[in-house]
Amino acid sequence: MRSHEKLKISVLVSGGGTNLQSVIDHIESGYLDKAKIVRVISSNCDAFALKRAENHNIKGVCISKEMLPDPKERCAAIMKELEAAGTDLIILAGYMSILEPELIDRYRDKIVNIHPSLIPKYCGKGFYGRKVHAAVLAGNELASGATVHFVDEGVDTGKIILQEQVPVKPGDTPETLANRVLQIEHRILPEAIKMLCDGKLK
Ligand code: GRF
């Protein structure tokens, strides 16, 4: 990327896309003035995140397990989209699928994930969605939070970029805790992208 060019981001999603929306909003407000979203790729064709992309004139595509059951073929289709869009950085924002090693290798240190816990706690295989927050409550934790990290071949094992805590409050349910953590996610994901745009992370 030349210094005057914008960082081209592809966002991979599966659901509501509030983190995608936060990145869009931070680009539109000028906070992320060196970034642009070139693709939204969803593993779920009904994801509201695709609607959010459409609302902001961002090209969205669905590449689902139903369309392409073979993981290698699915990965090839995703990589084709990423290449066609000239992707510099991949953001996993609630993406509920595991990436194939060839994709991770091709975009080494250029894939970032947001996870709704304080990694290394409550992460890895099986810790997704409300399960993360239910486990935090079952563990009687006093705090939880969110983590932005690079993606490597493991599940939630890549180098941590940013992390922030929220309190767990008496009477919390997985939903109330998820909402509190989401507020943090919406702030630290754009912050991490800004650090990448500014070359503050190698
Ligand atoms: C977020 O909690 C994210 O950390 C997790 O999935 C959720 C996605 O939410 N990986 P949204 O689709 O961005 O609203």
Side-chain angles (χ1 to χ4, degrees):
M1 191 184 74
R2 283 192 288 268
S3 58
H4 62 281
E5 284 177 358
K6 296 200 179 198
L7 191 77
K8 297 197 201 94
I9 300 175
S10 287
V11 186
L12 272 57
V13 295
S14 299
T18 64
N19 277 292
L20 165 68
Q21 188 67 54
S22 168
V23 178
I24 293 172
D25 293 346
H26 282 83
I27 289 173
E28 293 186 352
S29 77
Y31 174 79
L32 289 173
D33 58 346
K34 294 183 198 138
K36 79 186 249 189
I37 300 177
V38 290
R39 258 331 167 268
V40 169
I41 302 176
S42 179
S43 63
N44 164 13
C45 298
D46 298 323
F48 187 66
L50 285 171
K51 186 76 194 146
R52 292 182 193 271
E54 192 187 323
N55 289 344
H56 292 267
N57 296 316
I58 299 166
K59 183 172 173 186
V61 290
C62 174
I63 301 176
S64 68
K65 281 187 184 159
E66 291 70 33
M67 289 159 64
L68 292 172
D70 178 51
K72 299 271 170 214
E73 280 181 36
R74 208 161 54 243
C75 176
I78 294 170
M79 284 180 76
K80 206 171 152 196
E81 277 300 327
L82 294 171
E83 299 291 338
T87 306
D88 300 311
L89 177 71
I90 300 170
I91 303 290
L92 307 185
Y95 187 62
M96 302 285 268
S97 201
I98 300 291
L99 296 175
E100 290 292 303
E102 54 261 52
L103 195 156
I104 294 170
D105 199 38
R106 162 68 184 83
Y107 290 93
R108 176 87 43 206
D109 299 329
K110 290 177 182 141
I111 314 176
V112 163
N113 181 44
I114 175 98
H115 183 78
S117 81
L118 296 173
I119 290 176
K121 283 187 157 185
Y122 306 102
C123 64
K125 215 166 183 288
F127 284 106
Y128 57 87
R130 291 292 182 269
K131 290 188 186 194
V132 177
H133 306 293
V136 169
L137 294 177
N140 292 316
E141 300 286 348
L142 297 175
S144 189
T147 306
V148 183
H149 65 94
F150 285 112
V151 173
D152 62 14
E153 279 79 359
V155 182
D156 301 328
T157 52
K159 195 166 180 295
I160 291 174
I161 301 171
L162 281 177
Q163 190 165 66
E164 201 173 307
Q165 279 197 14
V166 294
V168 174
K169 295 188 177 170
D172 259 341
T173 64
E175 283 67 36
T176 59
L177 181 56
N179 285 334
R180 196 172 308 121
V181 171
L182 258 185
Q183 306 309 313
I184 298 295
E185 295 183 44
H186 296 163
R187 186 147 40 77
I188 66 172
L189 182 57
E191 200 178 326
I193 295 171
K194 192 168 176 65
M195 288 165 80
L196 285 157
C197 287
D198 292 343
K200 290 194 179 146
L201 293 167
K202 290 289 168 217

